[in-house]
Structures are given as structure tokens and as C-alpha cells.
């Protein structure tokens, strides 16, 4: 059974940094699409960043390019999202996701991911 456990959220001031972690179990990162998504109140879930575990190919939403960095540690079965220069509009529940079909890592669209973690709340104060 695939399980994803996200952690690392919290309250931070604008301009600050956080690192989210997502520990996976039930599968290995041989060649998977891994991603971080977020959902703010009243808004649809959006793809923030995705990565293909086998070759490190990444996708970033325009809103986070240059500020966020996704990485995966295949030995630890963990995917990270380093978030710098945080803005109040980054406030959301962040979810990690995975799928064995690596197509999902290309465009980072939620319907392409079959396994989801429980979410971790990131709040950025102004």
C-alpha cells in the first residue's frame, strides 16, 4: 500500500523559508512522478512543483519559479520542497503526491497523480 506522509509546514513571516518533506512507503522511487500541490481556501488545488525520480526532471509553477526547489532522495524515499522568499499568497495546505506513470511529472496536474499524502499547512504572515 502506497503511503505518503507530509511534514514541515508551519507559520512563517513573509520573506522566510520552510522545507517540506514527504516520506513515502509501499513503493520505491525507481521511476515515479512525485509532486507537491497546494490548495488555498476557496481555490482549486494547483500543482506547485513536480519531479521525475529517475532523472530529476522538474516542473515549477510560474508563481514559485526561482523561490521553490523540489528534490528527491531516492535512498530515503523522501521528496522535499524547499520554499524561500515566502509570500502571503503561498499560504495553503500543501500536499505531496506520487504516481507510477511518470507523465504526471511533466505538467504537474493533480488528476495525473493517484496517491496523496494528508497535507501540511503553510501560513505566511505579512
Amino acid at each position: 500500500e502506497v503511503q505518503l506522509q507530509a511534514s514541515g509546514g508551519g507559520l512563517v513571516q513573509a520573506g522566510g523559508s520552510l522545507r517540506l518533506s514527504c516520506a513515502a512507503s509501499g513503493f520505491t522511487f525507481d521511476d515515479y512522478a512525485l509532486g507537491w500541490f497546494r490548495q488555498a481556501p476557496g481555490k482549486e488545488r494547483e500543482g506547485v512543483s513536480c519531479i521525475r525520480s529517475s532523472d530529476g526532471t522538474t516542473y515549477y509553477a510560474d508563481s514559485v519559479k526561482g523561490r521553490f526547489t523540489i528534490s528527491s532522495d531516492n535512498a530515503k524515499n523522501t521528496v522535499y520542497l524547499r520554499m524561500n522568499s515566502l509570500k502571503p499568497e503561498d499560504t495553503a495546505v500543501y500536499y505531496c503526491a506520487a504516481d507510477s506513470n511518470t507523465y504526471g511529472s511533466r505538467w504537474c496536474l493533480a488528476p495525473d497523480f493517484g496517491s496523496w499524502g494528508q497535507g501540511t499547512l503553510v501560513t505566511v504572515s505579512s
Side-chain angles (χ1 to χ4, degrees), residues 11-126:
L11 173 63
V12 63
Q13 289 187 332
S17 299
L18 283 174
R19 189 182 79 159
L20 306 183
S21 300
C22 178
S25 61
F27 69 102
T28 57
F29 280 11
D30 295 338
D31 191 14
Y32 260 74
L34 307 166
W36 287 97
F37 297 78
R38 67 187 180 187
Q39 188 165 18
K43 294 187 177 181
E44 293 187 354
R45 190 170 298 189
E46 64 170 343
V48 175
S49 183
C50 289
I51 187 170
R52 182 174 178 174
S53 62
S54 61
D55 62 10
T57 303
T58 57
Y59 166 95
Y60 291 96
D62 288 343
S63 59
V64 306
K65 282 181 181 176
R67 301 188 297 122
F68 291 11
T69 303
I70 190 171
S71 62
S72 67
D73 186 331
N74 293 0
K76 294 183 178 180
N77 257 33
T78 302
V79 59
Y80 304 96
L81 185 68
R82 177 67 180 182
M83 306 185 294
N84 295 330
S85 302
L86 282 161
K87 304 175 181 180
E89 51 263 43
D90 294 317
T91 295
V93 177
Y94 284 70
Y95 300 88
C96 60
D99 202 279
S100 58
N101 186 341
T102 58
Y103 176 83
S105 64
R106 184 174 182 183
W107 301 114
C108 212
L109 298 174
D112 292 328
F113 286 78
S115 298
W116 292 82
Q118 85 289 2
T120 185
L121 176 62
V122 173
T123 304
V124 184
S125 63
S126 57

